[in-house]
């Protein structure tokens, strides 16, 4: 069995610094997406249909001023999920938490993301690749 390098073990245990907003949503977690992106709009429609009761899905352009704690560039780079306690999650982490809120059969990915060494890194890398090539993925999905 291969031993995990010491630095990797230490990094795995390091606390992750998260943003928090002062005025979080009060009824449902809020998922903010890039409303100018067709790929993002397509996924937002899917999430709105599947998770409307559990999750508010809103274009980030209309909510940026409401959450000044989130850097403007963060909205352009990735999904932003704001939990009821004010915690902010971004990218693959936000997507997996949104799915988990919807109690989808794919909700099992969040525990893997959070507990399997290297899983978060790989999932974030996959998310970044898709995010950087949204036009291509949008065409592949037929939108």
């Amino acid at each position: 069995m291969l031993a995990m390098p010491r630095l990797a073990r230490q990094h795995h245990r390091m606390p992750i610094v998260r943003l928090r907003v002062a005025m979080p949503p009060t009824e449902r977690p809020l998922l903010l997406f890039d409303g100018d992106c067709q790929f993002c709009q397509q996924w937002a429609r899917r999430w709105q249909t599947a998770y409307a009761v559990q999750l508010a899905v809103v274009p980030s352009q209309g909510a940026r001023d409401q959450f000044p704690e989130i850097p403007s560039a963060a909205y352009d780079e990735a999904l932003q999920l704001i939990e009821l306690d004010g915690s902010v999650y971004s990218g693959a982490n936000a997507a997996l938490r949104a799915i988990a809120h919807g109690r989808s059969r794919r909700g099992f990915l969040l525990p893997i993301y959070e507990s399997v060494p290297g899983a978060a890194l790989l999932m974030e890398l996959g998310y970044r690749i898709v995010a950087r090539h949204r036009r291509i993925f949008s065409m592949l999905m037929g939108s």
Side-chain angles (χ1 to χ4, degrees), residues 56-140:
V57 182
V58 176
S60 63
Q61 287 80 353
R64 292 178 185 214
D65 293 340
Q66 199 175 346
F67 304 107
E69 300 90 346
I70 302 173
S72 183
Y75 291 107
D76 297 330
E77 293 172 5
L79 287 171
Q80 303 298 314
L81 177 70
I82 304 173
E83 296 281 6
L84 299 179
D85 68 356
S87 298
V88 178
Y89 298 91
S90 184
N93 196 352
L96 295 174
R97 286 178 180 280
I99 291 168
H101 278 298
R103 295 190 184 111
S104 168
R105 65 184 181 280
R106 288 175 281 169
F108 73 91
L109 290 174
L110 182 59
I112 292 171
Y113 177 97
E114 294 177 330
S115 62
V116 175
L121 181 65
L122 288 174
M123 290 181 193
E124 291 295 344
L125 177 63
Y127 182 95
R128 299 290 174 221
I129 290 169
V130 171
R132 285 189 196 117
H133 300 94
R134 291 183 278 187
R135 282 188 178 165
I136 294 169
F137 283 94
S138 184
M139 289 187 309
L140 291 173

